[in-house]
Amino acid sequence: MYASTTEQELKIKNLVEYFYSSVFPVYFSEEEISKFEKMNFLNILGKNELTGTLKESYQIISSLETLIFLIESNGLEKSKYQEMYERNVQILEELGFSFPFSYEQFLQKRDFGLETDSVYIKPSNQFIM
């Protein structure tokens, strides 16, 4: 068996950050996302060091990428994609990544209103701070 590589760990970290900066803000409030961080969902705090194998790291990467695709493509309304979602959540949970979200939570985007100063949403223009 081979341990996960530095590149894999960086890829996982980037995917988790993408969830927090691009996926979660579309469906959850800033207060909720802050709670997710404190509860260490998706190991955002890095408390659980990855000591997995190459295979486990690839499973985490592919599961995160699949979940991102399913959520962003709005495909979760179809049962075959809901099953795919559930399977990938199960894989993450088995590998120590807490992802306690049901697919129903990603079916309807929230109304942003005037909330443009979120610390979680990346600015569309790097000159805006």
Side-chain angles (χ1 to χ4, degrees), residues 29-127:
S29 70
E30 190 165 329
E31 183 179 314
E32 290 172 310
I33 297 169
S34 178
K35 287 179 185 177
F36 300 162
E37 280 186 329
K38 290 176 185 163
M39 297 176 85
N40 203 26
F41 292 163
L42 289 174
N43 193 31
I44 186 69
L45 301 176
K47 289 182 178 176
N48 304 326
E49 284 301 315
L50 292 176
T51 56
T53 64
L54 261 142
K55 178 184 176 187
E56 290 169 342
S57 294
Y58 279 124
Q59 287 177 310
I60 292 169
I61 291 168
S62 64
S63 290
L64 290 172
E65 288 179 337
T66 300
L67 290 172
I68 290 169
F69 172 77
L70 291 172
I71 293 167
E72 291 184 337
S73 70
N74 299 318
L76 291 173
E77 295 179 7
K78 299 177 182 172
S79 64
K80 69 179 180 179
Y81 296 122
Q82 294 167 3
E83 292 171 16
M84 189 182 299
Y85 176 93
E86 295 296 336
R87 176 68 185 126
N88 282 280
V89 168
Q90 179 184 359
I91 290 168
L92 289 176
E93 294 283 340
E94 289 171 358
L95 295 171
F97 274 65
S98 178
F99 193 83
F101 306 100
S102 68
Y103 71 86
E104 289 97 347
Q105 291 176 284
F106 297 104
L107 290 177
Q108 185 172 353
K109 296 177 181 178
R110 69 184 184 89
D111 183 17
F112 285 101
L114 298 175
E115 187 180 328
T116 57
D117 60 342
S118 173
V119 294
Y120 296 101
I121 300 173
K122 289 185 179 178
S124 58
N125 184 327
Q126 70 185 114
F127 297 110

